[in-house]
């Protein structure tokens, strides 16, 4: 997709479609009045008719009259007081998704007054709306079909119309937004692929292809090396499947180097290619969703790739423990005692609490490779989805200063996180007769207990993200299809880029 930034009046920009955001109730003053006049009064007429509404992300398509574009899409930005960075991304996605199935090659987007509601002004608006448009192009219905007709259009050219802005700064920002959006879609496409397609080995192959393309180093540990390293938890989870586990390690930067902030950042993602629950098997209802249990892994693989495109050579690593959690003659059983890479013994009470087992060994390995700061991202518990739903990721972290640094990256990325407490008193619920601790306790506070389990494997600053509620949508939205959302990709990219030179 080509990108152009123009300072012309929006009605003077030739394109297949001109997108026009409006804030609050549709009111036709200033530029909007002129646009409406040139569009033959269509916008005001649709507003009077009730078709053009102020509900955020609602859209209408009108004929363009004497406006140079072929059509005009008006999109509601909603109430001025609640316009956030996330809203601007989603406005972009809503525009693009509204054009699904239509013939559109060039899309012009007028930024309107969106920049007035954001730190960074028009430049920030350009970045976020461009990212949103690219994210809006993603359509999972095309992954296994070439004849799907209703996909959002693949654009040849995006034109950002920003009359009073610094065109060079707007262009650089929009380019950054496009690259972040593309990385998000790389993650989403992998997330949505089925378990008979993406085994741990196939996921490792996808990571290898990305590493070669973007100049990252890659190391894929097979079971024999994982055993030498003492990854007893990781191997226990992987043992039930005929598709053997893989520990995928991507790195950038010089060996031993630290980033500008003195960090060797490790991002670690849960890669359960299918989570049947294992011997503690899940009920059939919605088990098919468990092909998405590799989302954390896909997120970190895509994020380090995006960082490599925006700031090549930034010292960091991405680790993705990839397994299939299956019942079988070699599966781990409830009551099995395994030894983690850090020497701690674990009593596996429930084989369906597998994510924390593979992540614990991956975190130990990250530290062995020199990580000074860690973030893990995982579809870890149903409890987080019940507590926070699909809009807010549950987060934990220690020390607080590292959590705060993470949260600042989340805010720049326009993603929503809610910090939860690691309540010390609950740790005793993981006590075991036979081992240092169990992998599950009673259900009460299960979300917090999952974080307390992971904490046993961190000796450096660490943040844990539970994306089980936010990783994929069960129903489509104006701004996103059913399926993978790419959540946390942009945050991890921002966090890493804060340390780029
Ligand atoms: N992958 C699941 C969590 C999950 C549930 C993700 C729903 C997405 C949607 C995880 O491995 C799991 O099974 N968690 C158990 C933990 C329990 C056994 C302590 C859960 O949440 O029920
Ligand atoms: Mn599970
Ligand atoms: Zn799982």
């Amino acid at each position: 997709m080509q990108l152009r930034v123009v300072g012309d009046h929006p009605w003077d920009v030739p394109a297949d479609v001109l997108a026009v955001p409006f804030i609050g109730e549709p009111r036709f003053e200033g530029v909007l009045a002129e646009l409406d006049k040139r569009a033959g009064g269509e916008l005001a007429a649709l507003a009077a008719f009730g078709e053009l509404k102020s509900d955020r992300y609602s859209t209408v398509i009108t004929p363009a009259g004497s406006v140079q574009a072929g059509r005009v899409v008006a999109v509601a930005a909603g109430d001025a007081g609640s316009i956030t960075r996330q809203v601007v991304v989603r406005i972009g996605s809503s525009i693009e998704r509204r054009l699904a199935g239509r013939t559109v090659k060039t899309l012009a987007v007028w930024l309107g007054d969106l920049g007035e509601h954001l730190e960074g002004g028009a430049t920030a608006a350009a970045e976020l709306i461009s990212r949103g448009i690219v994210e809006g192009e993603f359509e999972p219905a095309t992954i296994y079909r070439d004849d799907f007709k209703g996909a959002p259009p693949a654009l040849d050219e995006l034109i950002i119309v920003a009359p009073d802005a610094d065109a060079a700064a707007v262009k650089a920002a929009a380019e950054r937004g496009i690259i972040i959006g593309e990385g998000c879609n790389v993650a989403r496409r992998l997330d949505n692929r089925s378990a008979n397609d993406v085994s741990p080995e196939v996921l490792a192959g996808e990571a290898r292809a990305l590493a070669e393309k973007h100049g990252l180093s890659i190391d894929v540990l097979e079971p024999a090396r994982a055993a030498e390293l003492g990854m007893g938890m990781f191997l226990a989870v992987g043992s039930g499947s005929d598709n053997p586990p893989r520990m995928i390690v991507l790195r950038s930067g010089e060996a031993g180097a630290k980033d500008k902030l003195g960090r060797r950042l490790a991002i670690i993602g849960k890669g359960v290619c299918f989570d049947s629950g294992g011997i503690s098997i899940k009920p059939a209802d919605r088990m098919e969703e468990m092909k998405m249990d590799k989302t954390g892994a896909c997120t970190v693989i895509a994020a380090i790739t995006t960082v490599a495109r925006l700031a090549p050579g930034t010292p960091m690593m991405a680790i993705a423990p990839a397994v299939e959690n299956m019942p079988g003659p070699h599966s781990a059983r409830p009551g099995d005692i395994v030894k983690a890479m850090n020497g701690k013994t674990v009593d596996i009470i429930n084989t369906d609490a597998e994510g924390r087992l593979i992540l614990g060994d991956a975190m130990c390995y990250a530290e062995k490779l020199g990580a000074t700061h860690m973030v893990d991202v995982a579809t870890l518990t149903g409890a987080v989805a019940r507590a926070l739903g699909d809009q807010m990721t549950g987060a934990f972290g220690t020390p607080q200063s590292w959590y705060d640094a993470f949260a600042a990256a989340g805010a720049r990325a326009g993603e929503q996180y809610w910090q939860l407490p690691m309540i010390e008193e609950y740790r005793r619920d993981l006590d075991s007769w036979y081992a240092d601790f169990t992998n599950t306790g009673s259900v009460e506070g299960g979300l917090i207990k999952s974080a307390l389990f992971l904490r046993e494997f961190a000796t450096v600053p660490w943040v844990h993200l539970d994306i089980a509620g936010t990783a994929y949508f069960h129903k489509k939205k104006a701004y996103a299809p059913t399926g993978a959302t790419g959540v946390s990709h942009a945050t991890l990219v921002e966090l890493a880029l804060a340390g780029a030179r």
Side-chain angles (χ1 to χ4, degrees), residues 195-231:
N196 62 330
D197 176 9
V198 181
S199 61
E201 174 61 20
V202 169
L203 188 59
E206 294 287 346
R208 187 166 277 122
L210 288 167
E212 277 162 17
K213 188 166 165 197
H214 298 288
L216 297 162
S217 70
I218 180 161
D219 188 19
V220 177
L221 280 62
E222 302 198 349
R225 273 180 70 205
E228 275 166 35
L229 286 158
M231 298 179 174

Side-chain angles (χ1 to χ4, degrees), residues 275 282 325 352-354:
D275 182 13
K282 288 181 179 295
N325 188 23
D352 197 13
E354 84 297 341

Side-chain angles (χ1 to χ4, degrees), residues 295-317:
T295 297
C298 303
T299 304
V300 300
I301 291 167
I304 193 171
T305 306
T306 303
V307 174
R309 293 182 68 191
L310 290 169
T314 299
M316 68 179 294
M317 66 184 99

Side-chain angles (χ1 to χ4, degrees), residues 125-155:
E127 171 173 344
L128 297 165
I129 215 161
S130 303
R131 178 180 137 203
I133 285 165
V134 171
E135 291 181 15
E137 285 185 351
F138 176 71
E139 175 51 69
T142 62
I143 296 177
Y144 293 110
R145 277 177 294 189
D146 333 324
D147 59 348
F148 182 76
K149 293 283 183 288
L155 302 174

Side-chain angles (χ1 to χ4, degrees), residues 270 272 275 282 290 293 325 352 354-355 379-380:
K270 171 177 172 180
V272 178
D275 182 13
K282 288 181 179 295
M290 290 300 115
D293 211 22
N325 188 23
D352 197 13
E354 84 297 341
T379 46
L380 206 67

